[in-house]
Structure formats: C-alpha cells, structure tokens
Amino acid sequence: MCGIVGYIGEDQAAPFLLNGLEKLEYRGYDSAGVAVYNGTSLQVAKAKGRLKVLSEMINGGRDVPGTVGIGHTRWATHGKPSDINSHPQVSDSGKFAVVHNGIIENYLALKDLMVKKGKVFVSETDTEVVAQLLEYYYKGDILEAVIKVIHKVEGSYALGIICADDPDQVVAVRKDSPLIVGLGKGENFIASDIPAILNKTRDIYRLNDNEIAVLKRDSVLVYNTDKEIVTKEPVHIDWDVSAAEKGGYQHFMAKEIMEQPKAVRDTISPRIQDGKIVLDKITLTAEQIKRFKKIYIVACGSAYHVGMIAKYVFEKFARIPVEVDVASEFRYRQPIMDDKVLVLVISQSGETADTLAALREAKNLGVRTLSIVNVVGSSIANDSDDVIYTWAGPEIAVATTKAYSTQLAVVYLLAIYFADKLGTITAEEYSSYISQLQSLPDKISEILANKEQIQYLASQFFNAKDVFFIGRNLDYAMSLEGSLKLKEISYIHSEAYAAGELKHGTISLVEDGTLVIALATQDALFDKMISNMKEVKARGAVVLGLTTKQNKKIEQVADYALYVPELCEMMLPSLAVVPLQLFAYYVASMKGCDIDKPRNLAKSVTVE
Ligand code: F6R
C-alpha cells in the first residue's frame, strides 16, 4: 500500500505534492519521491526514509520547479526500501515517470520481455516494468500506450504517469487499488485518498477499475480501455480532514477490518499461478523440506495465535509435527534444535524484540529459518534465511486485524506448498485447497456485509465484566485471538479456554449472566461443543455460539448465534476471526475507548 499524488495547474507542483504526501503518509513511509516536468525534462527526486528526508533534500519543493508532477510515498513490496527502489520509477530514456500502488504479478515475465528489447533496469521494483512498457509502446499518444500496457499487466495497480514528450497532461489508471481525481479550477489532481487534496478541492471523481483519467489544466477526461469517453458524476466530499484520513471510518481499526478481503486477495493471488502455488523467492528446496522432522513456530501476541492455528494446519496437511512457542519463552528454554528443524517466525512489524532474538538464537545454532512478515526490509525479514511477505499494507491501529488475516493466508499457502512437496495430499486435494483459499476474500466480504448484526450483539454485551471464549482445537486457537482482541481494546476482562478444560477449574467463575462465546466451527467436535455450552448454561451463562451456516442446531442451545460461510475446516479460522474482530471493535466503540491506541500498548514492541 503506497500513497500517490499528482498535480497539473499553474502553481508549483512540488509543494502541493509534498503536502499531499504528508496526508498520505499513513499509507506508506519507507521512502518518498516526486517527478516534475521542469520545462525541458522530468526532474526526479527521491529518498529512502520518511517524507521529511525528501522534503529537506528538495528544499520544501523549491528545488524541483514546474507545474506538472507526480509524487509517491512507498510501502515496499518488491525490493527493499532504498533510494533506487523508491518511486517515481522512470523509463530507460527518462521520458516516462510512473508512481504505482499495488502489485504487478507478472512483472518478471514482462521484465524479461523488456530486457530482450534492450531496456536496462536499475531497480528491483515491479513498477519499473510499467515505465519501460510505456516507453516501448509510446508512439506519440500516451492514452494509446497506457491502454496497451494495461492489457499486458496482471495484478493490482493505481498508476500516475507523466511524459516529457507530452508534458501538459497527467494520466492515471486503476485496477483494484484506490485512486481519485480532484477537480479544480485551472488545476486538477490525482490521489490515492481524499485527504491529499482536501486543501484544494472537495469535488472528485472516483475512478472505477480500468478507467483511465487524462488530466489537463482545464479538463479531465475519463476513458475506458476501448478509448471511449466515460461520463462520470463528480462527488462532493464534506468530511472533515481527520475522518478523511481514515477513509470515512471512525477508526483505523474499522478501516483495516474492512480492508481484509483486499489484503488477503493481494497476499494470495500473486502466489497462485496456473493453479499452482508459487512462493516468490523462497530458496527452500523440496529435498530440504523433506528433511524437516519438526517445525517450531515462534511469535508474540496475535502472531502467536496465528502460529497456534498453523500447528493444526501443518500437521493436518503436511504431517510434520509442530511446536508453537511464545518468543519470549522460546529464547530461554533451550529448545532441542538441529538441522532437521525449521524455525518459522511470524511478525507483522518484523521488529518485535523477542521474536527477533528467538530468530537469531535459531540462526546461531545453524537452524533453517523462514519468516512471515509484513514490513519489507525489517530486521526479521532481513535476518531470516527465507521470508514470505504478507501484503497487508501498513497497519496503523495497534490491535492487529488485517495483518493477522494475511498471516493466516500465508500459513495456508505454505502448508499446502509443503504438503505438495511431501506428497501428503493428493492432486485433487491440492486443487481443492487452492480453490478454497481463493474463495476466502469473497467469503470475508460476505461476513463484513452483515456487520450490523454483530454491532447489535455488541450493544447487548458492551457492559459485560467478564467474557469467556471457548472452543476446541482450531476453535480454541481462535478463542485466544477473539479474547485478546476484546480485552486489548475494550478493557473487558476475558479468558480463552479449551472448552473441555473449563470444568477443571475456571468454570467456577461462570455465574448468572456471564457471557460465554462458544466457537464450534468443526463438524467432528460440534456435539462436544454443544455439551460444553450446556455446561456453562447450567451455571447461568449467556451463550453466543459461532458456527457455520449448516449448523443451525446451535440455536437449540445458544442464546444468540452467529454464522460464517462454509469452507474447508482448516481455513475456517480466516472467517471466524472476522466476527470476533467486529465484536471487539463495536464493544470498545460503545464503551468510548481509544480504539486505535489502547492504553499501555505499542504497535511495535521493540523491547524485551
Ligand atoms: C494484538 C497485537 C499484538 C501483536 C504482537 C506481535 O492485536 O497486535 O499482540 O500481534 O505484538 O507483533 P508483531 O506481529 O509485529 O511481531
């Protein structure tokens, strides 16, 4: 997830671009850059680090004169944060400059093609391929070249483009990544999000997929890919600036919950090609995978909860024994490790001190390490033998939601990948798991479309003092996450318990009116869960049951029921977590808590 801005008008472009990028810095902050037409050529300035570094470098924009330009804040995907990998990316001759948000999935094939045509690449980015393709297809008409390019590229993109040979226009196009056009008087704008342009205009076009906007100083025309003009209705924005930064949501957490279908899709789809899982750059060979006799999964907090689910998934699919450890424990318990062990580390930030220390400990012992990380170029990503990135984009709310969901998605990819290499699943199972994985984003959207039902349930329980989450196996692992989400943002005390374990002590805390959230998504354990629900109900509990749509029987016992769509059991946690996140969110919101910054917590825990 990156931030894009663009300007064409009579004023100096660079100061506007810097100001707009500042408003978009929540979208990406590992590097920034601008390209401005200076009357003869495109002048490009870019720098690794926060926007401030770029701004100081170009003297607040004064060193990059010109009235047409594009700018970018980067959240690295392809290639670590660096000056060279920052956007804008330019074509060989410097004629085209491009800013991009999204992922070009077939960039390697296109890069090969362009190299064969003699183009020289300087960055590791997927974006550079777009600049080179534009130059290759440009025969005097940018629109024509853009149409040709978007027929070639696969994946998601929002692009801002300027061309030195035709400098009186900014061209923008999008597919599956956001982009708006701001409509001014004698000036027009593009941006990834509304806050970037609110100080200039409140009238915008929202571009739909495959619409191409051609901005001149006095006009904006929008075309489809057949070069026909699309008639658009301007939308007037009356939000205040801070609401706009959250995309109209009250909190980043709500926005991030709603972004999950896209985040999961972005994480899965580039890794499934022609019905096969292709794991970018991991160097583990099938032979090495076959040698592993054990996997240690090491992580903290919610990432540890992903590890708990991963244990069931790896053991079921790949038949490798898995141990899951909280990183702060793992590092001091002298686990038995040798060259038949894989240490799998999970971290959103890639900087969590205990997780990093555990990883280094494993490396010192010569153990093979693989990490699942969201922040490109972070310490954990750099120090692991292999890394698979989650493409969740920056997560701003302290309580993780979309990073958790994308970590789970990578776990499924990896476990199916291992299972295929180990021959522990059949070809039919392999295809079926892949297609179920591909259905995840739509099924998550289906749950999100019913969020009002969960909001209603939250209104019934936001005054609760204690809440228990119970489940078995995968549902127990889910309970841990549901409970953590609730307590960290709503400050309601809650416990997650293996449902069969409750009666060994903790059930004494259940009294009249205690809320018990019972997860029962696994068919084989459904009846056992019904018994556990009856046990707590007999002690006065109010039971909220969560299961799949076919299990309406739950209503015979539960006071309230929530349903998620059907899916292969191992993948149901990806669906079941969504109502739990929403429940925690609405409860905290009704209690008036500081949801995005809960007390005592930090987004990245870089101390032991
Ligand atoms: C809870 C939460 C934390 C993190 C934990 C690990 O909502 O966000 O429990 O999961 O601090 O952080 P990372 O994944 O950055 O290593």
Side-chain angles (χ1 to χ4, degrees), residues 300-303 346-350 352 355 398-400 407 481 484-485 488 603 605:
C300 298
S302 292
I346 307 175
S347 175
Q348 186 284 128
S349 62
T352 301
T355 312
V398 164
T400 183
Q407 286 163 354
E481 179 60 8
L484 177 62
K485 282 283 92 74
E488 68 182 333
K603 182 69 187 157
V605 184

Side-chain angles (χ1 to χ4, degrees), residues 9 31 112 128 136 211 219 224 233 353 371 398 440 445 451 516 538 554:
S31 48
D112 280 352
E128 191 177 3
Y136 178 72
E211 288 182 345
S219 67
N224 63 20
E233 279 304 313
S371 63
V398 164
L440 262 183
S445 299
K451 58 184 189 311
V516 176
I554 204 164

Side-chain angles (χ1 to χ4, degrees), residues 1 22-27 193-196 198 239-249 251-252 255 259 396:
M1 191 159 110
E22 194 189 320
K23 299 282 183 268
L24 297 182
E25 227 186 348
Y26 74 89
R27 301 179 64 86
D193 204 355
I194 293 163
L198 272 189
W239 303 338
D240 65 26
V241 176
S242 79
E245 272 168 35
K246 294 172 188 137
Y249 293 98
H251 302 100
F252 278 110
K255 180 165 178 274
E259 281 171 353
I396 309 295

Side-chain angles (χ1 to χ4, degrees), residues 36-48:
V36 175
Y37 179 70
N38 65 11
T40 46
S41 61
L42 301 183
Q43 191 178 342
V44 179
K46 43 194 200 170
K48 180 182 162 192

Side-chain angles (χ1 to χ4, degrees), residues 250-251 462 486-492 584-599:
Q250 217 185 331
H251 302 100
F462 75 97
L486 184 69
K487 63 188 142 200
E488 68 182 333
I489 60 168
S490 75
Y491 315 140
I492 293 176
Y585 172 77
Y586 286 125
V587 165
S589 160
M590 285 164 197
K591 289 188 72 184
C593 299
D594 187 355
I595 292 182
D596 285 336
K597 293 196 188 78
R599 68 185 179 210

